[in-house]
């Protein structure tokens, strides 16, 4: 079985030949993977020992390894080819709704309708867990709708602003 | 002798106090809000009482309900922990009125130190150095403040007299910005504390945050347990603390300790408390404020001085005489505390809520953990984001740092994001290791970068692929298509173990 | 400078050594047997090599396989831990022959201390007091032993020269029993060590077991880190250790320490080692034996002296000069270690095997845990029954005891029986608290009784009933009859959480 | 629902009226039981807080509470009445096979066939986990069969001796 696994910008082609052997980008390695509990996996590969916590989240596989969290997308080769040929679609076009990552209180709305924003620009300030948090534009665009106002309480996942 | 202590708090500090009580053979009474029924402080207590809904103002801040529980349960004392009701003179007074011992200072001492401008004036009279600023007890009008500002000089800080946590605080670099900054600081202070009073302090550039831990009995004896350095801060929130401080030598420690004792005596202080100072580059130090309660970072002092501050608080509240003279207090080795918060260090430290599904905690030599988390706990937005304190001791500062690195590498939490990567980067940072930093270090000079670790990324890809492969294969064998959702992940490992 | 250390051991001590290596930035190589693939020491290592089936003689005792792994992995040093190959001079020599540093003493020192009769003779020559007994280097015939016995006097002990763990040891009270006891002791020693040689020692009545921890560098410097008391034993196995000892004062500590240093110097000892003494009621002390390796109970010494003995072992093996003089070693406070074993204290301490399904570990002030257990681990009969070491520090012995009580109350293990109730009873025992006990205390005077706790029993009945009730109700709703087995228990709690 | 729960010699009659209330031996108590995880249960009863690890084992419910393990038998009232009326049967009569509690090596067999033994008398010495363990007679009786001999390896649950 051949998989194409993507972490960030990089893709790895990993072929699982047998339970105790895989091929990574064309090179074969002996492996031994054990599930220690629901989330903990121990891998010995080429005698090197690694341990990670693994969790599925929104179609990605999250791997916590040496303090760092990696979000991996694992596709079998055919699915991967399909998604690449359809690619480019979800790159920066269409409507994006910025939602509240947690319940809290809106402290400030830093934009107005029709305003152009750049990626990373602060859009809304949300107070939660006794802290103020700046929510930023996920990409460049124009604010087409503002759904909240200052001092308003919001629930998790509640839409805050819409960006086109 | 106390038979039963009510702990008017939650989280790790409630657990910390319960542990002290259990060691002393004192029964504990917990109070809890709706969302905290399964919290460790409820499960660890001998008795537990529901006091209201999740928001603090309807539960943990309800002095009336807490006193009602104290009466019902027959508690002879209340320990307030930190936050919530810990620095509320009216609560301390209400305890006294009920004939229940408040484990902390007298209401008058809380009041005197609670108004930051009053506190400045009080300790200054007692000969404690303060940062140059407006004199007297606050309550100045804008015109008065604007008139005084040039004598203090820029840059300066506007601070709220009822202050705390950086609210109502503004840095002002030029005269022309002062009026606008005053208005916004007053608005923020009014919103946060219901009191818009502010005062001015000169901004001490390159300052370190050094604080002195005090213990004072009810018979006039006051000692200090040395210093803690808390300069690693973000948005005025401490993140890493250590004791001793790399900036303090024996002579300075003695001088700062003596001044801190004087400041406490100025308000006839009892029980544990902390005097916070700014230390400038020339090793001048200035009184900042007093925290009239137990501090989050008290464990580092406990470890280097070999004391148990919470048990000592209880002994003091029982009326006992301090067991130590100043000369018998000695620091040994070095302790560092990392505050673990549920937040994403790679996304502007955004708080992270959710269910912690798995925790792996470091153990072994030189490691202490104070935490109230457990597997299955939900981190809610109702309370602060502190999910644990990791404290490491070493023979030297260098050893404390390498041990902290080791302990951080063993600490694994999944389900919420944590600032563990921030702490790891800090323990690798040359400036931190060198001990040369001030309170602006994190925000102005420390960049946490998601630097590439290509080999780890490759291994992560392999593990993700192997786990996904197993899931697919096993799901195909056992689970019907429509039951395949993420909750099956847990089940797979279990299934696999059963097959072995 | 070592780049990579192979740890020729398993369990908690392998993990302890790996932690030291990780703190020092040294890579670790683990070896493991078939049943240990999922063990923590394998998962914590940088590299891991399978070396054979579960029985030690086919894996952890296979010097050839371990040296092979050392070569393949490019390790520059081997740490043997305790047990297994730790006191095998041939293994130490084989390491030297391979150009791999053995982290421990020279083979000649291991040999000299390994034969208990030779060791007696050697240290006696150096002026170290020994228990009256047969002179010389063992290997005496029965007739010779029987001839000498009356001069030593009864009661006496027959001991195996290759001894350890009480094997081949017999107490003899009367001359007429000597011949039979000799025969059975020789048989047992032959079976255990392949060597039936024995010697005699006078039985010291009412003796306490006191041992001195030593550190010796490769440049002739030897210091001691004070004493440990290990009199709480059962069948010659230590169960509880503490440092300092309630029976030792500063003067005696200094004298015993000086004698211990002399004993080590007599065999040109390097690295960490321990001299075990018997201390009689009149405070006379006698050399018992030397352990030429790290001890299980080393953490209590680390905590009271503020050292890290394992890191120190590695530094010494690197050829470094000891960083301390004797006068800079100071004990602070008190540390107690409880060895947690998988055994049933209410059923003659029968070892208990099985899968540990849930572990809850104490944390908070003054608590250290060294353990290699995890949830899901299977406790097998192949290795010893030690499942963890719980170490508590206190400012005083009294505080260490109350903290140990608190920590024991937080330690919860289900799936195997543990001796936690034994430790709890010991921490409540007046004689233990009073510090007045000797090595016969547990077996002759300490009765662990399942004393009634009617209120707890009632609560246990309530919980059992409520849980059974829920199970029945939910099982009726969801699970088909034939799937109701004990493995469903886990599922119920999960199901319940899902329903909330 | 009414249960009779037995721990050791004592029986408790516990009636579960509602989710938040029970009656123990006739007295009513408010309760709040929560499952923290698969094994951990938190009970608040009359405001007193208790926490226990709970595990089912051989038809009994094991409750680890404050360091002590309680083995409870929970029966509904009817079943309990039945078992009591059939009582006395399993009290000290019939054949008992002493089995090895764990894999190990037989060091000694301390009895001979036909020998009378008393409860608690050492029957077999088994070496396991580097320790010698004395296996004792579970009750008075006569040894009718010996199934192992010294230096023999045994598996867990392997029959060792039979007692009548």
């Amino acid at each position: 079985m051949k998989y194409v696994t993507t972490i960030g910008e990089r893709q790895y082609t990993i072929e699982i030949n047998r339970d105790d052997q895989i091929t990574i980008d064309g090179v074969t390695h002996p492996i031994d993977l054990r599930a220690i509990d629901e989330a903990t996996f121990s891998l010995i590969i080429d005698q090197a020992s690694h341990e990670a916590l693994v969790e599925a989240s929104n179609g990605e596989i999250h791997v916590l390894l040496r303090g760092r969290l990696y979000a991996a997308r694992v596709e079998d080769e055919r699915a991967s080819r399909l998604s690449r040929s359809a690619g480019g679609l979800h790159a920066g076009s269409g409507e994006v709704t910025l939602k509240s990552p947690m319940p809290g209180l809106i402290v400030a709305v830093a934009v107005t309708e029709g305003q152009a924003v750049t990626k990373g620009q602060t859009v809304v300030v949300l107070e939660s867990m006794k802290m103020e948090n700046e929510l930023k534009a996920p990409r460049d665009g124009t604010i087409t709708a503002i759904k909240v106002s200052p001092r308003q309480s919001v629930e998790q996942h509640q839409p805050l602003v819409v960006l086109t | 002798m106390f038979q039963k202590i009510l702990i008017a708090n939650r989280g790790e500090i409630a657990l910390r106090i319960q542990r002290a009580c259990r060691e002393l053979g004192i029964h504990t009474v917990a109070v809890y809000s709706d969302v905290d029924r399964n919290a460790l402080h409820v499960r660890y207590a001998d008795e537990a009482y529901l006091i209201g809904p999740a928001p603090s103002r309807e539960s943990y801040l309800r002095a009336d309900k807490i006193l009602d529980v104290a009466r019902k349960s027959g508690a002879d004392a209340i320990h307030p922990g930190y936050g919530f009701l810990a620095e509320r003179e009216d609560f301390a007074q209400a305890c006294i009125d009920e004939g229940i011992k408040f484990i902390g200072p007298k209401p008058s001492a809380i009041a005197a130190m609670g108004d930051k401008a009053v506190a400045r004036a009080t300790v200054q009279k007692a000969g404690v150095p303060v940062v140059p600023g407006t004199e007297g007890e606050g309550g100045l009008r804008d015109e008065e403040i604007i008139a005084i500002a040039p004598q203090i000089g820029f840059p300066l800080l506007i601070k709220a007299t009822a202050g705390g946590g950086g609210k109502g605080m503004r840095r002002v670099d030029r005269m022309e910005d002062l009026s606008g900054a005053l208005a916004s600081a007053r608005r923020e202070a009014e919103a946060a504390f219901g009191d818009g009073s502010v005062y001015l302090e000169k901004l001490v550039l390159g300052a370190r945050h050094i604080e002195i831990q005090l213990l004072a009995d009810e018979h006039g004896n006051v000692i200090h347990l040395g210093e803690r350095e808390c300069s690693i801060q973000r948005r005025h929130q401490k993140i890493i603390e250590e004791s001793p401080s790399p900036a303090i030598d024996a002579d300075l420690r003695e001088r700062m300790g003596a001044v801190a004792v004087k400041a406490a005596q100025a308000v006839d202080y009892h029980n544990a408390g902390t005097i916070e100072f700014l230390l400038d580059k020339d090793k001048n130090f200035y009184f900042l404020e007093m925290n009239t309660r137990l501090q989050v970072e008290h464990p580092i002092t406990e470890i280097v001085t070999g004391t148990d501050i919470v048990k000592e608080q209880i002994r003091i509240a029982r009326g006992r005489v301090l067991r130590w003279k100043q000369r018998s207090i000695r620091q040994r080795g070095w302790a560092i505390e990392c505050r673990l918060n549920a937040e994403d260090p790679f996304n502007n430290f955004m708080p992270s809520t959710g269910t912690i599904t798995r925790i792996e905690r470091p153990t072994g030599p030189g490691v202490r953990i104070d935490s109230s988390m457990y597997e299955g706990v939900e981190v809610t937005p109702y309370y602060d984001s502190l999910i644990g304190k990791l404290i490491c001791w070493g023979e030297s500062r260098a050893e404390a740092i390498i041990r902290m690195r080791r302990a951080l590498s063993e600490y694994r939490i999944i389900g919420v994001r944590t600032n563990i990567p921030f702490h790891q980067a800090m323990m690798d940072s040359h400036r931190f290791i060198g001990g040369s930093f001030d309170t602006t270090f994190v925000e102005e000079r420390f960049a946490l970068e998601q630097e590439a670790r290509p080999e780890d990324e490759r291994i992560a890809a392999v593990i993700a692929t192997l786990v996904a492969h197993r899931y697919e294969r096993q799901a195909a064998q056992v689970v019907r298509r429509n039951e395949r959702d993420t909750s099956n992940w847990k089940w797979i490992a279990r299934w696999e173990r059963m097959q072995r």
Side-chain angles (χ1 to χ4, degrees), chain A, chain B:
Chain A
M1 190 76 175
K2 210 167 189 172
Y3 294 91
V4 176
T5 297
T6 312
I7 295 182
E9 309 287 290
R10 248 184 87 62
Q11 286 198 331
Y12 301 84
T13 304
I14 295 170
E15 193 175 348
I16 302 179
N17 318 305
R18 309 193 315 238
D19 270 358
D20 63 352
Q21 189 179 295
I22 60 171
T23 304
I24 311 172
D25 297 336
V27 184
T28 297
H29 304 265
I31 58 140
D32 179 4
L33 180 81
R34 304 289 177 109
I36 306 296
D37 58 38
E38 288 80 358
T40 311
F41 288 84
S42 165
L43 172 71
I44 297 182
I45 176 167
D46 302 324
Q47 308 295 350
S49 176
H50 303 278
E51 181 157 285
L53 293 186
V54 179
E55 200 174 46
S57 174
N58 296 324
E60 289 183 323
I61 293 180
H62 287 184
V63 179
L64 182 69
L65 179 69
R66 274 180 260 287
R68 186 66 58 80
L69 192 71
Y70 299 89
R73 216 171 59 243
V74 181
E75 296 171 300
D76 69 33
E77 206 187 15
R78 204 173 29 137
S80 167
R81 243 182 286 120
L82 283 173
S83 85
R84 261 175 294 168
S85 67
L89 254 183
H90 47 106
S93 62
E95 202 176 82
V96 178
T97 302
L98 185 70
K99 294 177 179 170
S100 176
M102 71 205 86
L105 185 77
I106 301 298
V107 175
V109 178
V111 292
T112 53
E113 275 186 29
Q115 183 179 337
V117 293
T118 53
K119 181 178 172 181
Q121 184 177 338
T122 298
V123 174
V124 169
V125 182
L126 175 76
E127 185 179 307
S128 185
M129 294 171 113
K130 300 167 67 183
M131 296 279 286
E132 291 187 2
N133 306 287
E134 301 185 345
L135 306 181
K136 294 166 190 293
R139 62 170 174 77
D140 295 356
T142 305
I143 303 293
T144 52
I146 294 177
K147 310 255 185 188
V148 290
S149 48
R151 308 204 64 75
Q152 179 182 341
S153 287
V154 294
E155 294 304 309
Q156 192 172 17
H157 302 315
Q158 185 171 332
L160 306 176
V161 301
V162 181
L163 190 75
T164 319
Chain B
M1 175 74 178
F2 300 140
Q3 303 294 328
K4 200 183 269 191
I5 293 178
L6 184 152
I7 293 132
N9 217 305
R10 64 180 301 284
E12 68 86 18
I13 198 63
L15 197 64
R16 169 70 187 92
I17 298 162
Q18 287 173 333
R19 282 182 165 135
C21 291
R22 191 176 283 189
E23 291 179 15
L24 293 172
I26 298 169
H27 279 241
T28 58
V29 179
V31 292
Y32 63 99
S33 75
D34 278 344
V35 294
D36 276 346
R37 166 60 185 90
N38 286 3
L40 267 187
H41 81 278
V42 175
R43 291 149 53 196
Y44 200 93
D46 293 298
E47 296 172 36
Y49 293 80
L50 178 67
I51 51 165
S56 313
R57 65 184 175 283
E58 300 175 48
S59 48
Y60 296 107
L61 286 171
R62 285 287 298 270
D64 57 336
K65 288 191 180 178
I66 289 169
L67 284 168
D68 190 46
V69 170
R71 268 189 301 267
K72 266 197 287 194
S73 64
D76 6 52
I78 293 183
H79 196 305
Y82 53 69
F84 297 131
L85 300 170
E87 292 178 284
R88 292 260 299 262
E89 67 194 274
D90 52 348
F91 181 66
Q93 185 59 52
C95 290
I96 294 171
D97 295 345
E98 285 284 341
I100 295 167
K101 183 77 189 185
F102 177 79
I103 301 176
K106 297 184 299 188
S108 61
I110 299 177
M113 289 301 186
D115 183 307
K116 302 308 169 191
V118 172
R120 263 175 70 87
T122 307
V123 302
Q124 198 172 10
K125 240 176 286 168
V128 173
V130 299
V131 182
T134 46
E135 307 270 330
E137 307 193 350
L140 296 173
R141 281 170 292 116
D142 280 10
E143 310 87 84
E144 295 172 301
I145 288 176
I146 290 168
I148 297 165
Q151 300 156 34
I152 297 170
F154 292 91
L156 55 73
L157 280 176
I158 304 171
K159 290 177 142 187
T161 61
K167 301 245 175 183
M169 198 186 290
R170 289 288 181 284
R171 173 180 172 154
V172 184
D173 287 291
R174 298 173 310 170
M175 191 63 192
E176 47 269 49
D177 299 337
L178 183 56
S179 168
L182 273 172
S184 82
R186 284 193 195 276
R187 264 200 315 276
E188 194 171 292
E190 178 70 40
F193 314 113
D195 178 357
S197 303
V198 297
Y199 63 103
L200 300 186
E201 258 183 23
K202 186 165 174 53
L203 179 66
V204 181
L205 291 168
R208 304 175 78 121
H209 176 116
I210 307 287
E211 59 187 31
I212 301 285
Q213 174 70 54
L214 298 174
L215 286 179
D217 67 19
E218 300 182 352
H219 310 280
N221 304 299
V222 189
I223 61 167
H224 71 85
L225 302 181
E227 81 282 13
R228 292 184 289 258
E229 163 133 28
C230 317
S231 299
I232 303 298
Q233 306 183 344
R234 207 185 137 267
R235 300 167 75 177
H236 307 286
Q237 303 284 326
K238 298 165 186 170
I239 316 176
I240 297 175
E241 301 97 346
E242 58 186 299
S243 180
S245 159
I248 306 284
D249 60 18
D251 169 62
L252 186 53
R253 177 173 306 120
E254 200 180 314
R255 287 190 291 126
M256 291 180 80
V259 165
V261 166
K262 227 190 289 179
Q265 284 167 334
V267 297
D268 191 16
Y269 196 83
H270 299 158
N271 216 286
T274 299
I275 308 285
E276 298 188 335
F277 291 103
L278 284 182
L279 180 72
D280 74 14
K281 287 172 181 156
D282 302 320
K283 308 270 173 179
N284 300 307
F285 57 90
Y286 307 96
F287 173 86
L288 203 54
E289 61 177 75
M290 178 169 198
N291 292 312
T292 58
R293 51 153 170 96
L294 188 62
Q295 302 271 93
V296 175
E297 59 271 25
H298 74 277
I300 53 176
T301 299
E302 292 185 325
I303 295 178
V304 296
T305 58
T307 56
D308 183 325
I309 292 173
V310 179
K311 291 217 291 261
E312 226 45 54
Q313 285 190 291
I314 295 170
R315 289 194 185 102
I316 289 170
R318 278 174 174 176
R320 301 283 180 83
V321 172
L322 271 185
R323 296 179 303 137
W324 302 288
K325 301 286 175 201
Q326 187 62 54
R327 64 173 178 280
S328 47
I329 299 298
R330 282 229 176 67
Q331 295 172 327
R332 175 184 213 168
W334 214 281
I336 301 177
E337 171 178 282
C338 289
R339 296 192 190 190
L340 303 191
N341 295 327
E343 60 190 20
D344 186 351
F346 298 115
N347 182 18
N348 199 31
F349 293 88
M350 183 73 66
S352 176
T353 57
T355 300
I356 294 182
T357 49
R358 187 107 186 79
I359 308 177
E360 203 75 61
R361 292 201 177 99
T363 54
V367 174
R368 167 174 166 183
I369 291 170
D370 279 25
S371 166
S372 61
M373 295 295 113
Y374 56 93
E375 287 176 6
V377 73
E378 200 190 340
V379 179
T380 69
Y382 298 110
Y383 312 111
D384 69 26
S385 62
L386 182 72
I387 56 172
K389 304 187 305 199
L390 171 59
I391 305 112
C392 286
W393 180 89
E395 187 196 330
S396 60
R397 188 165 187 270
E399 194 187 38
I401 291 173
I402 62 176
R403 194 161 268 164
M404 183 61 83
R405 277 189 198 153
R406 188 269 292 175
L408 286 166
S409 79
E410 293 180 17
Y411 218 132
R412 293 187 300 198
I413 296 174
I414 205 157
V416 297
R417 302 297 174 105
T418 77
N419 62 350
I420 288 175
F422 170 88
H423 289 299
Q424 290 182 314
M426 188 61 77
M427 294 302 133
D428 288 340
S429 133
H430 292 300
R431 289 186 75 99
F432 182 78
I433 294 167
S436 64
F437 47 79
D438 60 43
T439 56
T440 66
F441 176 56
V442 172
E443 285 169 302
E444 296 183 6
R445 292 166 175 267
F446 183 72
L448 176 63
E449 269 158 34
Q450 180 85 281
E451 96 284 11
R453 293 189 199 159
E455 178 54 18
D456 278 1
E457 187 184 282
R458 206 172 70 107
I459 294 299
V462 169
I463 291 173
T465 309
L466 286 168
V467 172
H469 175 71
R470 285 195 185 194
Y471 173 48
E472 278 301 325
R473 207 172 46 177
Q474 292 161 4
Q477 284 169 25
V478 185
V479 188
R480 288 194 308 279
R481 197 97 205 151
N482 60 356
E483 291 176 1
R484 281 197 210 169
D485 64 1
T486 53
S487 70
N488 277 322
W489 280 95
K490 291 200 158 190
W491 168 87
I492 288 153
R494 203 170 316 116
W495 184 86
E496 187 178 31
R497 283 203 306 274
M498 280 159 50
Q499 304 297 311
R500 278 205 300 265

